[in-house]
Amino acid sequence: ISTIGDIVPLLSENRIITVLGLKEINKKNCRPSIGYLKSKLKLNTLTSTDIAFKVVPRINACGRMTTAEKCFHFLCATNGNSLQNLYKQIEEDNSNRLTETSAIMDRVYKQVSQVDLNEKPALFILDNSINLGLIGIVASKLCAEMHRPVFVFTEDEEGRLKASIRSNDGINIFNIIDKSRDILVDVGGHSQAGG
């Protein structure tokens, strides 16, 4: 699940981990949490696509909206009541993530609609009302739709600006932000994403 969730190329050891992991996940005697998850998603067998688009977003939603510990406890749970209660909380976080992301995207689209994209090689969005856990989702959506690097900034609890950055092929965004490392508190990322 984590290998697929990291969106790494499924080659070499990543492919082996994924193939062996899917075999374990799809056994009849898989972890109780995985069995419960499959039943709630109405899936007898989980594929890598199911994990990428149905399982991982739910797991990530908890860390984005409240706390990832819920997912840890869910994955470790064996008791039916615990599984039911924790899964309900995971679904609530996922639903809240979808609702909040939709509202954020509506606000951001209004900002972007006032920009002449022919004159802007990159987009810079500052919205302090964006949940810090959602700025990467917003940056990814805008980058995919606008076909240019996107920087989405929001304030953290300490009043510092944090950004999630996404870039398209051909523009190594990490090399660009790394050149300004001396004026930034922290820099991380790779060729198509940074923060």
Side-chain angles (χ1 to χ4, degrees):
I1 292 171
S2 60
T3 301
I4 293 168
D6 264 349
I7 315 174
V8 295
L10 296 182
L11 305 170
S12 303
E13 62 270 3
N14 291 332
R15 186 171 195 78
I16 294 167
I17 290 167
T18 301
V19 168
L20 294 176
L22 285 170
K23 283 181 183 175
E24 287 297 314
I25 283 171
N26 287 310
K27 284 183 177 178
K28 289 210 184 300
N29 63 342
C30 63
R31 295 182 77 83
S33 55
I34 300 299
Y36 189 86
L37 185 63
K38 288 194 288 191
S39 72
K40 294 306 281 184
L41 296 176
K42 297 179 175 42
L43 297 167
N44 293 324
T45 303
L46 286 174
T47 66
S48 58
T49 302
D50 295 325
I51 290 172
F53 293 102
K54 295 177 182 171
V55 176
V56 170
R58 284 170 169 81
I59 290 172
N60 284 344
C62 290
R64 295 178 192 286
M65 303 306 292
T66 55
T67 174
E69 284 185 27
K70 289 177 194 174
C71 289
F72 173 77
H73 293 300
F74 173 77
L75 291 170
C76 294
T78 56
N79 174 294
N81 288 337
S82 294
L83 289 167
Q84 183 179 7
N85 182 42
L86 290 164
Y87 185 79
K88 182 180 176 190
Q89 293 176 47
I90 290 167
E91 282 297 323
E92 285 174 10
D93 281 347
N94 192 46
S95 178
N96 291 339
R97 172 191 64 88
L98 292 168
T99 301
E100 195 170 326
T101 300
S102 178
I104 291 166
M105 293 307 296
D106 287 345
R107 287 196 318 268
V108 169
Y109 286 136
K110 287 178 185 166
Q111 287 183 44
V112 172
S113 70
Q114 299 173 17
V115 174
D116 182 356
L117 294 175
N118 293 320
E119 295 181 7
K120 303 290 181 190
L123 286 175
F124 293 83
I125 305 291
L126 171 61
D127 185 335
N128 290 332
S129 66
I130 297 177
N131 176 329
L132 192 56
L134 299 178
I135 60 176
I137 293 174
V138 174
S140 293
K141 285 180 179 280
L142 284 173
C143 181
E145 293 174 22
M146 304 299 173
H147 309 290
R148 68 200 67 235
V150 175
F151 296 67
V152 179
F153 294 88
T154 194
E155 256 184 35
D156 69 9
E157 308 80 31
E158 297 167 15
R160 292 180 301 201
L161 281 182
K162 288 201 169 188
S164 189
I165 306 152
R166 297 295 183 273
S167 184
N168 44 348
D169 287 336
I171 300 173
N172 187 322
I173 204 66
F174 181 74
N175 285 347
I176 293 170
I177 61 173
D178 192 46
K179 290 176 184 172
S180 299
R181 182 180 289 273
D182 61 322
I183 61 169
L184 301 171
V185 175
D186 192 18
V187 174
H190 53 82
S191 64
Q192 292 192 297

